[in-house]
Amino acid sequence: MTQHRRRLTAWLLAGVVLAVVLTLYQADRTGVNEHAAAPGATGPVTPSATDPPPPSPSAAPATSGPPSPTASPPASEPPPTTPACTSPGTCGFPDASTTGPRIELERHDTGNMSVKTDGTVIKGWDIRGSLDIYANDVTVIDSRITSTNWWGINLRPGFSGLKVLHTTITAVPGKGPDNGGVNYAVSNMGGSSIEVGWCDISVFGNALSMGQGDLHDNYVHDIVAFRNQGGEWQHTDAVISGGGNKGRLTIRRNTLLNSTAVDRGATAAVGLFADTGVVSSVVVDGNWLAGGAYALYGGGPGATGIQVTNNVFSTQYHPAAGAYGAATAWNAGGAGNVWKGNRMSDGRPVEPPPAS
């Protein structure tokens, strides 16, 4: 029994010694691994499969907060210039793709047709002729007019409420009554405002002729020069007003082109003239203007309430928009006259012309 106890004691001691040795050995191994992972270690460290990948060399340092906003340019840098516009359509102005009829048309050989019923609606007509309006509240919409008359559509004195929308109005060069020419695409001889919108207008010498109206989103182009019955070159304007109006004329978001040569009668893209009285209450806002002797005639002495704002004067025909400049006949001291935000198509600001 005594011998058996001695053997058991020896085995216990041997187990204790072995446990101590294993513990010291494991501690020594752990110290080696920690040393290898320390920042100053010279040997390579193999990451485990669960470690995140290191950032690429081009990656920005991580931050704990939200990304910072884009830094502003130094205060000494000049402000960015207004970008250049290359053509009306690419810069959001009306062109052939945004004007004219939106539906299929049916041909009507009307000749010079007189409309005498109030509230008449002409829609979907392909008219070979012209319309002479002796009625109130007539609407011409989604149609086409090809005229050989003095006009495409003419509202007679004493009548009102005419609307011409989404319509193409053109003429046959050399076939008009004025020595082969045609004069007015839409003429307002009535005593109140009319609306002309989203129309594609060409050929007529003075395309939109009126002292009051709402002219918006139209595309006036390819005016054709002609000698009038007096043998002189007809003056040409995309929009013309003779003054003396009692209501307001608003010209907004149109493309108004006058490519006619100056020696063949070109006058303006917008011509505000005091031919029959003082020009007043006209808004010319957000249009693309090109061509003429001057792209804009501003009403002249005595003109009041003329607002010329946010227009683009295009260099497509002349470096200065018109042959002689962007604008003339501006009455800077007139009550309510405003000139603001106008620029050339290359981004340069257009200052109001000096008093003539």
Side-chain angles (χ1 to χ4, degrees):
M1 180 64 69
T2 302
Q3 185 178 2
H4 177 71
R5 290 178 177 174
R6 289 176 179 172
R7 287 179 180 175
L8 182 58
T9 301
W11 279 109
L12 290 173
L13 291 173
V16 170
V17 171
L18 180 59
V20 171
V21 170
L22 289 175
T23 301
L24 293 175
Y25 176 78
Q26 184 63 33
D28 182 65
R29 289 290 296 172
T30 301
V32 169
N33 286 340
E34 290 176 352
H35 175 76
T42 57
V45 179
T46 302
S48 70
T50 59
D51 289 336
S56 63
S58 60
T63 60
S64 58
S68 61
T70 304
S72 301
S76 59
E77 291 186 6
T81 59
T82 304
C85 276
T86 56
S87 68
T90 58
C91 295
F93 292 89
D95 62 9
S97 69
T98 59
T99 55
R102 302 162 295 179
I103 61 176
E104 294 294 324
L105 306 181
E106 179 183 348
R107 179 161 172 166
H108 290 259
D109 293 315
T110 64
N112 181 27
M113 175 180 171
S114 295
V115 179
K116 297 184 177 181
T117 302
D118 289 354
T120 296
V121 176
I122 295 175
K123 182 175 182 179
W125 285 26
D126 184 357
I127 295 172
R128 307 303 168 95
S130 60
L131 299 177
D132 210 1
I133 311 297
Y134 294 86
N136 297 311
D137 302 320
V138 172
T139 298
V140 182
I141 186 169
D142 287 313
S143 295
R144 177 183 175 91
I145 296 172
T146 304
S147 175
T148 55
N149 202 353
W150 295 91
W151 57 80
I153 301 175
N154 182 36
L155 180 65
R156 289 290 179 170
F159 299 96
S160 63
L162 175 65
K163 294 184 178 182
V164 185
L165 309 172
H166 297 286
T167 292
T168 294
I169 309 171
T170 189
V172 181
K175 300 295 184 180
D178 195 359
N179 201 28
V182 286
N183 294 68
Y184 313 110
V186 181
S187 172
N188 181 11
M189 300 174 68
S192 65
S193 181
I194 70 173
E195 180 183 1
V196 183
W198 303 286
C199 290
D200 183 326
I201 299 169
S202 61
V203 180
F204 290 90
N206 287 300
L208 296 171
S209 175
M210 63 197 69
Q212 51 198 345
D214 180 10
L215 311 179
H216 63 88
D217 302 288
N218 301 293
Y219 175 44
V220 180
H221 60 101
D222 294 307
I223 292 173
V224 175
F226 64 93
R227 292 185 185 274
N228 59 29
Q229 290 182 340
E232 301 173 337
W233 287 107
Q234 172 70 29
H235 286 259
T236 60
D237 304 88
V239 175
I240 185 171
S241 174
N245 55 296
K246 302 301 182 184
R248 177 178 292 276
L249 175 61
T250 300
I251 306 166
R252 181 171 282 135
R253 297 188 308 273
N254 303 280
T255 297
L256 304 174
L257 310 180
N258 188 351
S259 59
T260 308
V262 174
D263 61 359
R264 295 194 169 204
T267 307
V270 173
L272 307 178
F273 304 110
D275 294 336
T276 58
V278 173
V279 180
S280 63
S281 300
V282 181
V283 173
V284 184
D285 178 67
N287 303 281
W288 177 282
L289 308 176
Y294 291 89
L296 172 72
Y297 281 74
T304 59
I306 314 299
Q307 300 176 34
V308 180
T309 56
N310 306 313
N311 298 284
V312 174
F313 289 81
S314 171
T315 62
Q316 65 193 92
Y317 304 130
H318 307 287
Y324 306 131
T328 190
W330 175 250
N331 181 19
N337 290 351
V338 177
W339 185 284
K340 183 179 179 181
N342 302 295
R343 63 185 177 90
M344 298 295 294
S345 55
D346 60 13
R348 291 174 292 145
V350 177
E351 300 300 328
S356 57

